Amino acid sequence: MKHSCGSAVIVDQTAVCESSRLLDHAPVGREFGFYLGRGLYSGIGLQYRTAIQSWWLPSNEERLIELSALLDAILLYENLFVLASENPPDGDRLTLRSALLDRGILRVLDTRPYSHPISSELESFLANAHSTGYRLDTWHSLADPRAVAQTVRACLELSTPPSGWSSHYEPKEDLAEGLRGALEGVLADRWLVERVKELEREYHKDPLRALALELLDHIGYFESGSVIAGISHLRTFVYWRLSEHANMPFSPSLRRLAEYHRMTEYVRESAQERVYGAVADAFRSTVSEVFEGEQPAILYLPPALALFLETFRRGKDITKSVDHLREEYAPLRKMLAKYQEDISNSATLGQARTAKRKFNESLTRISEKFDNPHPAFVNQALDIVPSVASMAADPLNVEKYAENLVQRPVEWLRNWWLNRPLSPIFKLRDHLLALRDYGNLLQEATGIALQKEQIGIVLQNHVKTNTLFRHLGRIPGADPTDPHAE
């Protein structure tokens, strides 16, 4: 099942729902759990439910960032896909989400064709990390790689999780319920800081191996709040692999952004030297020419959040405000889709560079019509390709992946290189600054007043996350041409 990756993107259900909850004045903080329904996760124990209400506290300030990024995706893509296995219990009450579904903009991705390969990758991913001999707590008898993978497979197949864990209770049911629900934890925690330091010497700063062990660690403590972070890690893994299997870019939510970039940037930085050489040979070109073609294109976007709020302020109609954005900036979506098509139809690297040049020229002309445009970057993904990963017993081992990739036939390498999906890289800092810039407009449009204290917390968390991931890859949201950008 392939989609036109120039006109479709996978978006985080969290981003869609939190954007909708902002406009619908949904409660924040401890009241949020009761807003979703007191019966939610009723079978998983009081401690778990308390963690949901007290740890995962979506603020309006964070929701505004999600709305800003979501509106950018609405401008750029014809279709936004979400996962059915994460259908929120309050989904039918969310106005923006319902409007996007009714318009056919938001669609549910059929994950069933990918359930087996992704769960197989996950099981190998966890099992290889678990078999390294690294000391894990005795609780980890509950975090069995095969059982976790089976549960994820059942969720992707939209079926009932299989039995498999012999225990006095059934944590797999809790895991499946969490994966299908509205749980998101804080991925960048102190555990990761300490564990990465310990793993650096043995795994050479391998963030994928660290992620697998961290995931097992969190799931192992199944009766504590750490399971929320474990579920978030699992979702991030699923999104990562779905993006590759479905050949569509993924736009992560705020809390998932750093973790997702940690994985993808590690793959790019670790494999690109070997890959560039193989691609250069396949096209009878040079590595410098391949590198030149990989430089991201600058994409100037209109201030979608301000435009949406201004339209909404005048008419108080969410659907009409979405329609206005879609109609006004349809040329952007057509240009991005045309760029993807032109690159895919190229026969040489020179033709691909010509397509990029024409795209940049068109963007320059159209961006002159925007007031206060903000920059993003468009790059082609370089990640672990499923058809190559399946060749290895350890499919997500980056070194083995690079070795297998360069052994593929020349024609395959050419087709793969030119058909990689385009992925816009948004400057998260712009969305964070929008918290300050659009506070008055948000209040005029919705009656919601932003809190300076909460703005500070969101900004501090962003800085903390960037600091945590800095030595593991490029800072999320920074200029992709400057690996040292703050």
Side-chain angles (χ1 to χ4, degrees):
M1 177 179 171
K2 295 289 184 180
H3 299 275
S4 174
C5 51
S7 60
V9 63
I10 300 173
V11 295
D12 201 318
Q13 185 82 266
T14 297
V16 176
C17 292
E18 290 310 312
S19 300
S20 302
R21 289 170 183 141
L22 172 69
L23 298 175
D24 286 337
H25 291 246
V28 296
R30 292 183 179 274
E31 297 83 7
F32 182 71
F34 296 95
Y35 167 76
L36 291 180
R38 297 189 66 173
L40 182 63
Y41 312 120
S42 58
I44 58 178
L46 177 61
Q47 187 174 12
Y48 192 3
R49 294 200 307 274
T50 301
I52 296 172
Q53 296 166 19
S54 62
W55 185 9
W56 184 45
L57 306 177
S59 67
N60 283 330
E61 291 71 22
E62 185 174 335
R63 288 169 171 172
L64 183 62
I65 296 175
E66 301 292 9
L67 177 62
S68 180
L70 178 65
L71 291 171
D72 281 345
I74 290 172
L75 284 179
L76 287 174
Y77 294 96
E78 289 297 334
N79 293 117
L80 283 60
F81 283 88
V82 290
L83 307 189
S85 58
E86 288 185 333
N87 189 35
D90 63 334
D92 294 338
R93 305 200 300 269
L94 300 177
T95 308
L96 175 60
R97 182 177 181 274
S98 297
L100 295 174
L101 285 169
D102 292 342
R103 288 292 190 271
I105 300 169
L106 187 66
R107 301 172 63 182
V108 176
L109 181 66
D110 184 0
T111 55
R112 290 172 296 181
Y114 316 118
S115 61
H116 176 66
I118 289 177
S119 61
S120 297
E121 288 177 351
L122 175 61
E123 183 174 351
S124 297
F125 174 64
L126 297 178
N128 278 291
H130 195 269
S131 65
T132 59
Y134 189 86
R135 186 179 64 83
L136 294 171
D137 200 282
T138 54
W139 279 87
H140 281 277
S141 60
L142 303 177
D144 176 75
R146 183 170 181 268
V148 173
Q150 285 181 334
T151 304
V152 169
R153 180 175 179 178
C155 289
L156 292 175
E157 291 177 344
L158 310 181
S159 61
T160 303
S163 58
W165 284 347
S166 57
S167 168
H168 63 281
Y169 67 105
E170 296 294 338
K172 67 180 184 301
E173 296 176 1
D174 293 355
L175 178 60
E177 188 72 8
L179 283 169
R180 292 190 175 106
L183 292 174
E184 291 294 353
V186 179
L187 298 179
D189 54 26
R190 291 184 179 275
W191 189 102
L192 178 59
V193 177
E194 297 304 318
R195 189 61 56 97
V196 167
K197 289 179 181 178
E198 296 175 18
L199 293 173
E200 281 179 353
R201 186 180 302 107
E202 184 174 357
Y203 299 125
H204 308 289
K205 300 184 180 181
D206 183 344
L208 297 184
R209 189 71 61 115
L211 170 64
L213 290 171
E214 185 182 12
L215 190 156
L216 288 172
D217 184 71
H218 281 309
I219 290 178
Y221 292 93
F222 231 98
E223 289 189 328
S224 75
S226 66
V227 69
I228 302 176
I231 288 171
S232 296
H233 284 306
L234 268 180
R235 280 210 194 99
T236 302
F237 178 93
V238 170
Y239 276 122
W240 172 39
R241 300 315 301 152
L242 264 178
S243 177
E244 285 303 304
H245 282 272
N247 198 39
M248 277 195 290
F250 168 54
S251 178
S253 60
L254 178 62
R255 296 192 183 187
R256 197 179 309 287
L257 181 66
E259 185 77 10
Y260 181 73
H261 278 247
R262 174 165 70 131
M263 295 186 294
T264 56
E265 286 303 311
Y266 173 71
V267 174
R268 175 180 286 274
E269 293 177 359
S270 301
Q272 66 183 6
E273 184 175 349
R274 291 296 309 277
V275 172
Y276 282 11
V279 171
D281 291 342
F283 282 100
R284 296 183 179 180
S285 182
T286 65
V287 172
S288 59
E289 286 181 290
V290 175
F291 178 79
E292 180 184 352
E294 283 291 274
Q295 298 309 299
I298 298 178
L299 175 64
Y300 291 101
L301 295 175
L305 178 60
L307 294 169
F308 176 87
L309 290 176
E310 181 61 37
T311 305
F312 183 67
R313 182 178 67 86
R314 293 196 302 266
K316 300 297 183 182
D317 189 302
I318 290 176
T319 302
K320 290 182 179 179
S321 299
V322 170
D323 288 344
H324 174 73
L325 278 183
R326 296 282 285 185
E327 293 168 4
E328 188 76 14
Y329 298 101
L332 272 176
R333 295 192 299 282
K334 293 179 181 178
M335 286 169 51
L336 185 62
K338 183 65 164 57
Y339 179 31
Q340 179 78 64
E341 181 182 356
D342 288 346
I343 291 180
S344 299
N345 291 335
S346 298
T348 66
L349 294 180
Q351 290 180 5
R353 287 197 301 272
T354 298
K356 176 181 287 188
R357 177 178 53 79
K358 291 180 177 178
F359 176 63
N360 285 330
E361 291 173 353
S362 299
L363 279 175
T364 301
R365 288 195 300 270
I366 194 172
S367 64
E368 293 174 351
K369 303 177 183 179
F370 302 156
D371 292 327
N372 302 317
H374 63 86
F377 301 87
V378 179
N379 212 347
Q380 282 188 287
L382 199 168
D383 212 325
I384 296 179
V385 184
S387 59
V388 176
S390 62
M391 298 170 61
D394 186 1
L396 302 184
N397 182 305
V398 178
E399 292 182 2
K400 291 181 180 179
Y401 160 71
E403 290 295 328
N404 287 324
L405 182 66
V406 300
Q407 296 176 24
R408 300 291 295 215
V410 168
E411 192 62 31
W412 186 95
L413 277 171
R414 290 175 179 171
N415 290 333
W416 163 70
W417 189 253
L418 295 172
N419 282 278
R420 292 172 298 147
L422 293 167
S423 179
I425 305 170
F426 300 107
K427 297 192 71 172
L428 180 60
R429 193 173 309 149
D430 291 341
H431 297 300
L432 290 168
L433 292 176
L435 289 177
R436 297 168 176 167
D437 297 341
Y438 298 148
N440 291 336
L441 183 54
L442 177 68
Q443 187 165 12
E444 291 175 5
T446 66
I448 297 173
L450 297 181
Q451 305 298 318
K452 291 184 178 180
E453 180 180 355
Q454 285 295 329
I455 293 176
I457 291 174
V458 172
L459 293 172
Q460 288 171 11
N461 287 340
H462 174 60
V463 172
K464 177 182 176 181
T465 303
N466 282 346
T467 301
L468 180 65
F469 290 109
R470 180 172 294 152
H471 68 291
L472 293 174
R474 181 179 302 129
I475 298 174
D479 183 344
T481 64
D482 181 6
H484 305 292
E486 293 290 338

